[in-house]
């Protein structure tokens, strides 16, 4: 295969991957974040402590995380058809991707929010804040760098999962690598695709780290930098 | 201003019950600085957290500024609307400051005002005022991570004052600070108390804190208040453990003779009564220990002296000292060492 043969294929596959991962990430953020916070709040010692709710949500998250993605992809076909109206194509692949990533991100959110000093929760309560105020003013802003870092990990995991989307005709870079590189023995093409994936993942990680660094005001190092910048 | 009646708090953990408070009656008057001292585990932290219902007492009542907080709705972890509103009128400062690292100093001070729903311009104005008040006018844009411990606590105090409270609770506010910073923070609390008429309830394990800012104090042990009162009253009570802790003279009773402990407050501290005593009665006095300190803005001194002979030989000189308005306690007689060091806070 020549570069001219590869280019249009690469172009389409890249767009597909970005669409799948992008939409799945958005849905994951929208649903995984509240779920993770709910896990912390309903747990023992939490502000909304509620054992039954905590157990049920925890169990659902665990089941979601233990299912292999390929199985999820197939098992969810009826649900996928109900949500997006089709069970093939990149649109269909976004549903299992999101369903797989939501519990993954929820657990990471849980860990991040748990890391917030309990004293801050108490401070907001002492100044007359409601549970909602505690979440909005203390838990989320203080956990933000960790939440972004968790999202970076999730996006990268989604890029990996999206390779399997080919099973339902979802397309994307991973699918291209398998159908051309593996099945048709186009090793050169496979190397190109793998390089693109490496670049993509590295880029996501770099952007994530950059955002995290901008958001943290904790260490003395950031303090020093800020002071130098102001001087 | 703050009254607790028969307050108890029982924690249950793994089926075992632990009593942190066993019937605490506390009365803090308006405009005073009240210190609760005790070792860790005495229950003082539970007590102060019960005052704004961060911990809900098992039984008993808490009344702050005329509002009975224990009667307001809400579980321990979710306060009802009325309790949340009552809390806005009670400021609290913490040992570890509890500032949001993601917000600047100014934004930290604005936080309680955001919760009360004040508009942006008013919040900004108020925060600037408060930062000026605590001496951090130039630090509005800094992040807590860039501040020293003392500066962080000043931010904590400014934040606690944002809602214009009548009562300030201080939970070991100076325990994480070095002695010099502690002094400056205590000085600030004193100033706020005097200028704003703020009632301050503080808990501490350091006697020096009580000595330098408190008007009244209480000693806690095993979930109970064992002693309480104004410092002036406590110091003129010869049996007060708190007074002894404020004035540790050591354990230096001589082998024989009569040992007296003389406490003097206010203007009597300026008079040379010891040399007058020696001259008038021709007694050879032996000074075993002495200290003069400023407690709650008043000069207070205590001295332990040894007089030769038995108690009955010294009735006249003791009477002379009492006539001078001094408080005299007879500690020992001729070798019988009745007074051992009672380490209240050792």
């Amino acid at each position: 295969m020549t570069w001219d043969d590869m280019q249009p294929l690469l172009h389409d596959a890249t767009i597909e991957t970005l669409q799948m991962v992008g939409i799945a990430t958005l849905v994951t953020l929208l649903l995984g974040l509240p779920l993770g916070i709910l896990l912390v709040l309903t747990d023992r010692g939490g502000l909304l402590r509620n054992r039954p709710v905590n157990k049920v949500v925890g169990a659902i998250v665990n089941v979601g995380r233990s299912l292999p993605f390929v199985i999820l992809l197939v098992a969810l076909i009826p649900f996928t058809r109900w949500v997006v109206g089709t069970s093939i194509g990149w649109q269909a692949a976004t549903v299992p991707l999101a369903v797989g990533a939501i519990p993954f991100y929820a657990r990471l959110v849980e860990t991040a929010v748990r890391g917030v000093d309990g004293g801050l929760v108490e401070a907001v309560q002492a100044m007359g804040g409601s549970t909602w105020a505690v979440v909005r003013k203390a838990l989320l802003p203080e956990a933000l760098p960790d939440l972004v870092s968790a999202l970076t990990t999730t996006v990268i995991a989604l890029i990996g999962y999206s390779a399997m989307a080919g099973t339902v005709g979802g397309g994307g870079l991973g699918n291209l690598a398998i159908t051309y590189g593996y099945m048709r023995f186009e090793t050169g093409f496979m190397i190109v695709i793998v390089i693109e994936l490496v670049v993509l993942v590295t880029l996501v990680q770099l952007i994530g780290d950059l955002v995290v660094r901008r958001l943290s005001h904790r260490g003395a190092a950031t303090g020093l930098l800020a002071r130098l910048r102001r001087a | 201003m703050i009254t607790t009646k028969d307050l108890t708090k029982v924690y249950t953990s793994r089926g075992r019950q632990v009593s942190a408070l066993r019937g605490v009656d506390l009365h803090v008057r308006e405009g005073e600085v009240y210190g609760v001292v005790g070792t860790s585990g005495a229950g003082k932290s539970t007590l102060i957290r019960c005052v704004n219902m961060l911990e809900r007492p098992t039984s008993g009542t808490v009344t702050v500024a005329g509002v009975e907080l224990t009667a307001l709705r809400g579980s321990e972890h979710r306060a009802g609307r009325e309790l949340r509103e009552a809390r806005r009128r009670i400021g609290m400062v913490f040992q570890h400051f509890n500032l949001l690292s993601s917000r600047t100093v100014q934004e930290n001070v604005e936080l309680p005002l955001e919760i009360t729903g004040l508009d942006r311009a008013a919040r900004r104005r108020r925060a600037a005022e408060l930062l000026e008040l605590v001496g951090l006018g130039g630090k509005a844009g800094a992040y807590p991570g860039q501040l020293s411990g003392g500066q962080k606590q000043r931010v904590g105090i400014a934040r606690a004052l944002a809602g214009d409270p009548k009562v300030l609770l201080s939970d070991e506010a100076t325990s994480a600070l070095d002695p010099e910073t502690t002094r400056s923070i205590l000085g600030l609390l004193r100033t706020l108390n005097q200028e704003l008429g703020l009632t301050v309830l503080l808990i501490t394990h350091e006697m020096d804190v009580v000595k330098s800012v408190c008007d009244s104090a209480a000693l806690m042990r095993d979930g109970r208040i064992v002693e309480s009162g104004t410092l002036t009253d406590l110091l003129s009570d010869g049996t007060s453990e708190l007074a002894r802790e404020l004035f540790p003279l050591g354990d230096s009773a001589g082998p024989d003779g009569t040992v007296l402990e003389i406490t003097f407050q206010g203007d009597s501290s300026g008079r040379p009564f010891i040399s007058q005593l020696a001259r008038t009665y021709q007694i050879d006095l032996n000074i075993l220990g002495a200290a003069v300190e400023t407690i709650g803005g008043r000069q207070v001194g205590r001295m332990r002296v040894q007089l030769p002979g038995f108690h009955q030989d010294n009735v006249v000189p003791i009477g002379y000292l009492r006539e001078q308005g001094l408080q005299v306690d007879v500690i020992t007689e001729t070798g019988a060492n009745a007074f051992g060091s009672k380490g209240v806070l050792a």
Side-chain angles (χ1 to χ4, degrees):
Chain A
M1 273 176 97
T2 62
W3 176 243
D4 287 336
D5 297 329
M6 294 179 194
Q7 224 197 354
L9 289 170
L10 270 180
H11 178 264
D12 289 351
T14 306
I15 300 274
E16 279 164 359
T17 294
L18 291 180
Q19 279 172 321
M20 275 191 288
V21 172
I23 292 176
T25 300
L26 211 67
V27 175
T28 300
L29 191 61
L30 244 50
L31 296 178
L33 188 63
L35 214 57
I37 293 167
L38 194 69
L39 279 171
V40 179
L41 292 181
T42 55
D43 197 13
R44 236 181 323 188
L47 294 176
L48 303 173
R49 58 189 66 180
N50 187 327
R51 293 297 278 165
V53 170
N54 188 260
K55 287 276 172 213
V56 169
V57 174
I60 293 172
V61 165
N62 283 342
V63 169
R65 288 199 58 192
S66 46
L67 284 180
F69 183 67
V70 180
I71 294 178
L72 201 65
L73 207 57
V74 180
L76 284 178
I77 285 175
F79 178 67
T80 305
R81 195 172 290 139
W82 180 70
V83 176
V84 291
T86 173
S87 59
I88 51 166
W90 70 264
Q91 295 91 335
T94 52
V95 176
L97 279 177
V99 171
I102 287 167
F104 180 76
Y105 187 56
R107 279 290 179 215
L108 294 178
V109 168
E110 185 192 4
T111 314
V113 172
R114 241 182 244 294
V116 175
D117 181 6
L120 301 178
V121 174
E122 214 153 70
V124 175
Q125 284 183 303
M127 52 183 84
S130 60
T131 303
W132 174 235
V134 170
V135 171
R136 212 162 53 96
K137 304 284 183 192
L139 295 181
L140 287 181
E142 287 295 302
L144 194 57
D146 289 342
L147 293 175
V148 170
S149 160
L151 193 67
T152 309
T153 309
T154 308
V155 170
I156 290 170
L158 276 171
I159 294 174
Y161 284 159
S162 74
M164 284 180 252
T167 320
V168 292
L173 286 168
N175 184 45
L176 205 61
I178 291 168
T179 50
Y180 281 79
Y182 179 67
M183 294 173 176
R184 298 190 193 176
F185 305 104
E186 293 280 358
T187 314
F189 193 29
M190 178 144 76
I191 290 171
V192 172
I193 295 169
V194 169
I195 290 172
E196 194 190 330
L197 281 171
V198 170
V199 170
L200 191 62
V201 167
T202 309
L203 220 60
V204 169
Q205 188 67 56
L206 274 176
I207 293 170
D209 288 349
L210 201 74
V211 174
V212 169
R213 210 165 313 136
R214 299 245 20 179
L215 289 174
S216 336
H217 299 288
R218 265 168 235 171
T222 22
L224 190 70
L225 272 175
R227 242 171 289 157
L228 283 175
R229 221 176 294 138
R230 217 168 298 140
Chain B
M1 198 65 174
I2 303 173
T3 308
T4 75
K5 278 215 178 74
D6 203 24
L7 212 58
T8 68
K9 175 74 188 177
V10 181
Y11 293 105
T12 313
S13 82
R14 298 201 191 98
R16 273 209 352 230
Q17 294 206 322
V18 183
S19 286
L21 299 178
R22 305 163 190 260
V24 174
D25 293 302
L26 187 73
H27 185 69
V28 181
R29 282 185 308 248
E30 188 167 355
E32 75 175 339
V33 180
Y34 195 106
V36 177
V37 273
T39 47
S40 51
K44 53 194 197 306
S45 192
T46 308
L47 174 63
I48 200 164
R49 292 158 54 84
C50 276
V51 170
N52 64 355
M53 299 276 118
L54 282 179
E55 309 250 10
R56 200 157 263 272
T58 309
S59 69
T61 61
V62 175
T63 310
V64 179
V67 182
E68 194 188 321
L69 300 183
T70 31
L72 301 179
R73 225 164 40 79
S75 70
E76 184 162 276
H77 313 284
R78 286 185 74 193
R81 198 175 49 82
E82 283 170 313
L83 177 53
R84 292 207 304 273
E85 267 161 25
R87 277 178 178 164
R88 289 172 193 167
R89 297 186 292 272
I90 305 172
M92 189 169 193
V93 285
F94 303 88
Q95 179 175 4
H96 298 295
F97 326 123
N98 295 352
L99 301 176
L100 298 179
S101 63
S102 55
R103 287 176 168 238
T104 61
V105 164
Q106 159 125 8
E107 288 163 349
N108 264 289
V109 177
E110 284 185 24
L111 179 59
L113 302 171
E114 285 172 28
I115 287 171
T116 42
L118 207 66
D119 68 77
R120 203 186 161 80
R123 285 205 307 262
R124 210 169 256 184
R125 213 173 324 116
R126 179 87 181 118
E129 250 171 55
L130 288 162
L131 286 173
E132 209 57 59
L133 184 68
V134 298
L136 280 181
K139 291 280 181 193
Y143 283 93
Q146 300 164 262
L147 302 181
S148 69
Q151 290 172 325
K152 284 183 197 169
Q153 197 55 289
R154 283 170 187 269
V155 179
I157 291 170
R159 180 179 70 177
L161 296 176
D164 207 4
K166 290 274 153 272
V167 174
L168 185 71
L169 306 177
S170 157
D171 185 356
E172 299 271 12
T174 58
S175 301
L177 304 174
D178 61 73
E180 200 177 319
T181 314
T182 295
R183 264 195 297 281
S184 83
I185 293 292
L186 292 175
L188 175 63
L189 286 180
R190 194 59 175 167
T191 312
L192 295 172
N193 159 257
Q194 284 161 351
E195 287 181 7
L196 308 176
L198 198 65
T199 307
V200 181
L201 172 62
L202 61 86
I203 65 163
T204 181
H205 62 274
E206 295 166 310
M207 266 301 167
D208 275 343
V209 171
V210 175
K211 209 185 278 185
S212 53
V213 291
C214 292
D215 300 306
S216 298
L219 174 64
M220 267 192 99
R221 188 181 296 142
D222 290 333
R224 289 191 182 88
I225 287 184
V226 288
E227 210 184 312
S228 67
T230 63
L231 287 198
T232 320
D233 290 350
L234 289 169
L235 286 168
S236 47
D237 175 1
T239 63
S240 163
E241 277 183 48
L242 265 174
R244 257 179 229 302
E245 286 295 330
L246 286 170
F247 259 107
L249 282 186
D251 189 13
S252 55
D256 41 36
T258 302
V259 177
L260 302 181
E261 215 166 80
I262 304 161
T263 308
F264 41 96
Q265 300 193 31
D267 13 297
S268 51
S269 60
R271 276 183 291 133
F273 58 87
I274 288 292
S275 67
Q276 284 171 358
L277 181 74
R279 232 178 303 124
T280 316
Y281 298 97
Q282 303 285 312
I283 305 174
D284 289 320
L285 284 161
N286 185 16
I287 298 176
L288 300 172
V292 178
E293 297 213 40
T294 309
I295 296 182
R298 281 165 65 94
Q299 279 250 312
V300 185
R302 177 169 284 173
M303 180 178 275
R304 189 174 299 160
V305 295
Q306 188 182 27
L307 309 180
F310 296 101
H311 184 191
Q312 60 262 35
D313 304 329
N314 289 304
V315 172
V316 179
I318 291 170
Y320 167 79
L321 288 172
R322 287 193 172 135
E323 253 169 53
Q324 305 292 307
L326 302 166
Q327 187 213 321
V328 182
D329 297 292
V330 180
I331 306 292
T332 51
E333 263 185 75
T334 320
N337 190 348
F339 176 65
S341 77
K342 280 193 248 168
V344 181
L345 300 169

